């Protein structure tokens, strides 16, 4: 298949492009580089040994995005283009609603116009809300219970609902919704990984920057959760396993059903301090941390039951937490993508 990857220069998108190429698919990448770098595309090309058509375009810009649909023959779209930080979404909710929902609607409208009927949406475990009991199955419906705790999660739930309604209205339209838990780690080459602009919002890249001395300590947001050590528990999945889940889900387009929803996770809960300890042991590095107040929108525990994806997609997370920590550190010690760009410019 020829797949348009919206937000393909981002953390998950770039790893998914690699796995798509390894599986024989071809890719067109669109990204506005708001929270990513052009060097990602060059590094992905180095990994896959192929040239990737890349367009620096904001997916909310319908006119510019349409030029890609006109030029490229697209069989399917994978949507990674949304803003993704829970805490930030609480502070600037309107920006999240505008970007995430507008970009999704723009993509779907252009798919209609150019007869593209297959879409895959990178959703999130945040759609399960505050009352879901882990391990969570796809049958739990927080959309109906209205228990989502942050604007980021609300945007994901809204887009899910849009896709569900679209599959009902249009018999040719097929949607796969993948609910991620907590992607971490990096590609084994060290060429691509999680390298956000500014101070990281996610845990693993923050730990990595502490490990390499780029930040003095890790802020641990809350130690009074109802967990074994008081810190939040999440389902950490290696980003490469997650990327392979997208490739496995492409087979859904060959089936009769119009809508598929899957959890992508390990099914195991790991606390913040568990992850800190694992990182220290895997890389022989001391991680200094400080307990601070909770973040708005966070909950005690969130990990999945991945049985449906295991059985129907024949996919299973295989890389363990040690690999997650080691590959993260390898990527960070290479200097991250920003440092790689600076070295290239000096040559």
């Amino acid at each position: 298949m020829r797949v348009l990857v919206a937000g393909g220069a981002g953390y998950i998108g770039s790893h998914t492009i690699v796995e798509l190429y390894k599986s024989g698919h071809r890719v067109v990448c669109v990204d506005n580089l708001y929270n990513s770098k052009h060097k990602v595309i060059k590094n992905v090309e180095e990994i896959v040994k192929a040239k990737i058509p890349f367009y620096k375009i904001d997916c909310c810009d319908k006119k510019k995005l349409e030029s890609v649909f006109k030029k490229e023959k697209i069989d399917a779209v994978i949507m990674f283009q949304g803003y993704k930080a829970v805490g930030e979404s609480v502070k600037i909710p309107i920006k999240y609603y505008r970007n995430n929902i507008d970009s999704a609607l723009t993509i779907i409208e252009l798919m209609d116009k150019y007869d593209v009927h297959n879409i895959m949406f990178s959703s999130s475990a945040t759609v399960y809300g505050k009352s879901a009991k882990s391990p969570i199955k796809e049958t739990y419906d927080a959309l109906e219970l209205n228990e989502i705790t942050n604007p980021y999660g609300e945007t994901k739930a809204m887009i899910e609902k849009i896709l569900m309604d679209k599959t009902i209205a249009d018999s040719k339209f097929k949607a796969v919704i993948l609910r991620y838990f907590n992607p971490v780690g990096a590609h084994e080459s060290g060429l691509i990984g999680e390298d956000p602009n500014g101070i990281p919002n996610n845990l693993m890249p923050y730990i990595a920057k502490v490990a390499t001395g780029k930040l003095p300590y890790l802020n641990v947001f809350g130690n009074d959760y109802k967990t074994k050590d008081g810190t939040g528990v999440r389902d950490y999945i290696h980003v490469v396993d997650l990327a392979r889940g997208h490739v496995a889900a492409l087979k859904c387009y060959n089936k009769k059903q119009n809508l598929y929803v899957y959890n992508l996770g390990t099914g195991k809960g790991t606390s913040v301090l568990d992850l800190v300890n694992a990182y220290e042991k895997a890389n022989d590095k001391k991680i200094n941390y400080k307990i601070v107040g909770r973040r708005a929108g966070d909950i005690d525990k969130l990990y999945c039951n991945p049985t449906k994806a295991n059985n129907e997609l024949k996919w299973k997370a295989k890389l363990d937490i040690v690999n997650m920590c080691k590959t993260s550190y390898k990527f960070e010690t290479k200097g991250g993508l920003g440092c790689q760009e600076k070295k290239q410019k000096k040559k």
Side-chain angles (χ1 to χ4, degrees):
M1 298 181 81
R2 190 164 180 82
V3 184
L4 172 64
V5 181
Y11 175 46
I12 303 171
S14 59
H15 287 82
T16 300
I17 289 175
V18 170
E19 296 305 316
L20 286 167
Y21 264 91
K22 285 173 62 177
S23 299
H25 300 284
R26 292 296 173 261
V27 171
V28 176
C29 178
V30 173
D31 201 300
N32 65 358
L33 304 182
Y34 170 81
N35 196 32
S36 56
K37 301 173 179 71
H38 189 265
K39 177 63 177 173
V40 175
I41 303 304
K42 298 300 180 184
N43 285 6
V44 168
E45 289 177 337
E46 183 176 338
I47 293 169
V48 302
K49 308 301 180 187
K51 183 71 175 175
I52 298 169
F54 171 72
Y55 299 86
K56 185 183 177 182
I57 291 174
D58 190 318
C59 289
C60 293
D61 189 329
K62 192 170 186 177
K63 185 175 180 181
K64 289 184 178 179
L65 188 59
E66 183 169 4
S67 67
V68 179
F69 277 83
K70 282 181 179 178
K71 184 177 180 180
E72 306 285 354
K73 175 62 179 173
I74 305 299
D75 299 307
V77 176
I78 302 181
M79 294 200 297
F80 294 110
Q81 78 284 348
Y83 298 155
K84 62 175 187 173
V86 169
E88 184 181 61
S89 77
V90 175
K91 296 176 182 178
I92 49 172
I94 303 306
K95 186 173 183 177
Y96 269 67
Y97 285 116
R98 168 63 72 183
N99 177 78
N100 292 8
I101 297 170
D102 192 8
S103 61
L105 289 171
T106 299
I107 289 169
I108 295 166
E109 287 173 348
L110 289 172
M111 288 175 65
D112 272 349
K113 186 171 181 179
Y114 289 90
D115 293 320
V116 182
H117 306 296
N118 304 316
I119 193 166
M120 194 176 298
F121 175 51
S122 63
S123 190
S124 166
T126 55
V127 303
Y128 287 121
K130 61 186 179 182
S131 296
K133 302 300 181 185
S134 298
I136 308 168
K137 292 184 178 181
E138 292 88 345
T139 49
Y140 182 84
D141 194 352
L143 280 69
E144 289 186 0
L145 296 174
N146 195 29
E147 293 185 330
I148 298 169
T149 60
N150 55 79
Y152 163 72
E154 292 283 7
T155 67
K156 292 295 188 181
M158 289 178 184
I159 296 167
E160 283 197 16
K161 188 65 168 65
I162 289 166
L163 292 173
M164 291 173 186
D165 288 343
K166 175 64 174 170
T167 59
I168 293 170
D170 184 351
S171 61
K172 294 188 294 183
F173 193 84
K174 292 189 175 185
V176 178
I177 295 169
L178 301 179
R179 293 174 178 162
Y180 307 163
F181 281 69
N182 290 69
V184 295
H187 190 267
E188 63 182 359
S189 66
L191 288 172
I192 54 174
E194 190 168 13
D195 190 26
N197 296 326
I199 300 297
N201 285 302
N202 294 334
L203 178 59
M204 184 72 96
Y206 208 123
I207 293 175
K209 291 189 182 301
V210 173
T212 53
K214 296 172 185 176
L215 291 172
Y217 57 84
L218 168 72
N219 285 320
V220 176
F221 296 102
N223 65 343
D224 58 349
Y225 289 102
K226 295 177 182 178
T227 61
K228 65 177 184 178
D229 59 21
T231 63
V233 168
R234 297 294 183 267
D235 188 336
Y236 295 99
I237 176 174
H238 200 294
V239 66
V240 172
D241 277 329
L242 186 67
R244 291 168 180 164
H246 291 75
V247 177
L250 288 175
K251 69 181 69 172
C252 294
Y253 301 130
N254 297 322
K255 299 179 181 180
K256 292 182 179 180
Q257 194 172 316
N258 286 66
L259 178 68
Y260 298 85
V261 181
Y262 296 103
N263 287 332
L264 293 185
T266 65
K268 300 175 183 177
T270 302
S271 76
V272 173
L273 293 184
D274 282 338
L275 188 61
V276 169
N277 292 334
Y279 206 99
E280 288 181 334
K281 291 178 181 178
N283 299 302
D284 194 24
K285 285 286 179 180
K286 176 66 178 174
I287 306 298
N288 297 314
Y289 65 87
K290 181 169 70 173
I291 304 296
V292 298
R294 292 188 183 198
R295 292 184 303 186
D298 277 346
I299 60 177
D300 297 329
K301 297 179 182 180
L302 197 64
Y303 58 97
C304 79
N305 180 330
T307 302
K308 185 179 178 186
N310 297 164
N311 292 340
E312 295 185 13
L313 300 180
K314 308 304 179 187
W315 166 91
K316 189 173 183 179
K318 297 179 179 179
L319 299 171
D320 63 16
I321 197 165
V322 173
N323 190 287
M324 299 176 204
C325 294
K326 284 186 174 181
T327 54
S328 168
Y329 185 67
K330 181 177 182 179
F331 173 72
E332 195 64 34
T333 52
K334 277 180 169 281
L337 294 158
C339 186
Q340 292 170 20
E341 282 193 325
K342 290 175 185 176
K343 289 178 181 177
Q344 188 180 50
K345 287 175 183 178
K346 288 180 181 178
K347 291 180 180 179

